[in-house]
Amino acid sequence: MSSRMAGSLLLRHAGGASRRLFSATATSPAARPLLAGGEGVQGSWVRLMSTSAGTQAKDEAAKAAAAAAAANKGDGEKKEVAVNSYWGIEQSQKLVREDGTEWKWSCFRPWETYSADTTIDLTKHHVPKTMLDKIAYWTVKSLRFPTDIFFQRRYGCRAMMLETVAAVPGMVGGMLLHLRSLRRFEQSGGWIRALLEEAENERMHLMTFMEVAQPRWYERALVITVQGVFFNAYFFGYLISPKFAHRVVGYLEEEAVHSYTEFLKDLEDGKIDNVPAPAIAIDYWRLPANATLKDVVTVVRADEAHHRDVNHFASDVYYQGMQLKATPAPIGYH
């Protein structure tokens, strides 16, 4: 009994001491500011956070001001945009022409320019003898009739339509030869590159004439339709008979030579204004600075004559029972 009483007295004494301790802590002057956010630890932490945020905002504002000053440096100087690539693709250094001026074209480089061979024979013609040749010849002739009706003597727009079609065969032929080379584990004799160069050259013709004449909306729609039909027709034609496909292109290029000859006649007769040559043409064909549209049409016609000879030659190779890889391709003209 005495031991139980002693234990209860001890517990009451300990509980009273605990209550006095916690009440003293809660009501102490140092505790009240802590709970109120005053001069205690919590209040100091709040002030520290606000000071840090303010400093960060000032740093960001200073960086923005420095960036704006750098952007405006030079009082309106031309701004250069450098794209940093994680993949290691770096922009090349500034290219210059032979006279030291800046090269402004990204679609082709100075080493891809050339001087067209304007001494090429423009009168060459492959006389159709076999049935396939005659079909190819009259197919091209039949396509010229609606073209004459639609464009008449508007040779600027006519040239654009012609180039959208003429740029297809080289791409299709090069693609199919590329796939054939992969399937058969064999070389192409350089013909893949030769045909792709032809397609790129025809595309540059189009880019040039876009600077001379702007197509109307219905002419653009016609281009989409004709290109879609011709691409698929030539694709299947090349799969069935490459010699027929190349012969068609040879005759198509003969018609191109004829069309550009008529274009030149109208320029010489004053029916079409002989305007200054586009800048892209001057750089691509290495023409003189004072070149005119007549000079551009002359070099384009020479290109078409070269394509005529290449495609008729390719067709002849197939007619002799050989593959193109057996004969080195005419690389290096462009």
Side-chain angles (χ1 to χ4, degrees):
M1 182 67 182
S2 61
S3 61
R4 285 199 299 268
M5 291 178 63
S8 63
L9 289 173
L10 182 60
L11 289 174
R12 281 199 298 270
H13 179 74
S18 299
R19 285 193 297 272
R20 287 194 301 273
L21 176 62
F22 284 109
S23 63
T25 304
T27 58
S28 64
R32 284 193 300 271
L34 176 63
L35 296 176
E39 296 298 327
V41 176
Q42 185 175 355
S44 300
W45 178 249
V46 170
R47 286 202 307 275
L48 180 60
M49 289 178 63
S50 63
T51 303
S52 176
T55 303
Q56 185 177 1
K58 290 180 180 179
D59 291 342
E60 291 179 354
K63 290 179 181 179
N72 295 328
K73 187 178 180 180
D75 296 329
E77 281 185 5
K78 183 179 179 181
K79 299 175 183 175
E80 297 180 359
V81 180
V83 180
N84 295 323
S85 174
Y86 169 78
W87 309 109
I89 306 299
E90 298 180 357
Q91 292 179 323
S92 59
Q93 297 179 352
K94 286 185 177 179
L95 300 175
V96 295
R97 299 183 180 89
E98 294 180 355
D99 58 2
T101 58
E102 183 179 356
W103 182 265
K104 65 177 183 178
W105 310 108
S106 59
C107 53
F108 64 100
R109 303 305 174 91
W111 54 85
E112 296 173 335
T113 63
Y114 67 101
S115 297
D117 180 15
T118 56
T119 63
I120 192 169
D121 188 355
L122 303 173
T123 62
K124 284 184 180 179
H125 168 64
H126 182 274
V127 179
K129 297 178 181 179
T130 66
M131 181 59 66
L132 275 182
D133 283 356
K134 292 178 180 178
I135 294 174
Y137 178 78
W138 288 110
T139 298
V140 174
K141 284 295 184 181
S142 64
L143 293 175
R144 180 180 174 179
F145 179 71
T147 304
D148 289 342
I149 294 177
F150 187 82
F151 291 104
Q152 297 180 1
R153 300 193 72 83
R154 293 186 297 116
Y155 285 107
C157 295
R158 187 191 187 105
M160 283 189 296
M161 171 62 74
L162 179 65
E163 300 302 342
T164 58
V165 172
V168 171
M171 181 60 66
V172 172
M175 176 186 68
L176 291 177
L177 287 180
H178 174 73
L179 296 176
R180 179 190 179 93
S181 175
L182 297 178
R183 289 194 309 270
R184 299 194 175 187
F185 306 96
E186 62 185 17
Q187 298 293 335
S188 68
W191 279 94
I192 296 174
R193 179 179 175 184
L195 294 178
L196 293 181
E197 281 184 355
E198 176 186 313
E200 173 65 11
N201 180 248
E202 298 285 9
R203 191 187 66 83
M204 287 302 299
H205 292 177
L206 176 62
M207 296 299 103
T208 298
F209 285 111
M210 284 292 294
E211 301 291 329
V212 178
Q214 292 296 325
R216 301 178 177 90
W217 68 268
Y218 57 85
E219 291 172 339
R220 290 178 180 269
L222 181 63
V223 166
I224 295 173
T225 303
V226 171
Q227 188 184 79
V229 172
F230 184 73
F231 176 90
N232 288 282
Y234 191 80
F235 176 83
F236 288 108
Y238 202 99
L239 286 176
I240 297 171
S241 177
K243 61 184 175 183
F244 171 76
H246 281 291
R247 190 69 79 201
V248 167
V249 179
Y251 286 129
L252 186 65
E253 299 294 358
E254 288 185 15
E255 291 298 325
V257 172
H258 173 77
S259 295
Y260 285 119
T261 300
E262 294 296 315
F263 197 168
L264 284 172
K265 288 180 180 179
D266 281 3
L267 283 168
E268 294 170 353
D269 295 340
K271 296 178 180 179
I272 299 176
D273 293 335
N274 191 22
V275 297
I280 190 173
I282 292 176
D283 285 336
Y284 184 68
W285 282 285
R286 301 178 186 174
L287 298 174
N290 61 347
T292 62
L293 180 58
K294 180 181 176 181
D295 299 317
V296 175
V297 175
T298 300
V299 294
V300 170
R301 183 179 62 173
D303 287 348
E304 305 295 3
H306 173 72
H307 300 158
R308 172 203 64 193
D309 296 345
V310 169
N311 281 276
H312 278 315
F313 173 74
S315 183
D316 289 344
V317 171
Y318 280 112
Y319 265 107
Q320 294 173 16
M322 298 186 296
Q323 296 293 326
L324 290 181
K325 66 177 182 178
T327 306
I331 299 175
Y333 173 80
H334 299 298

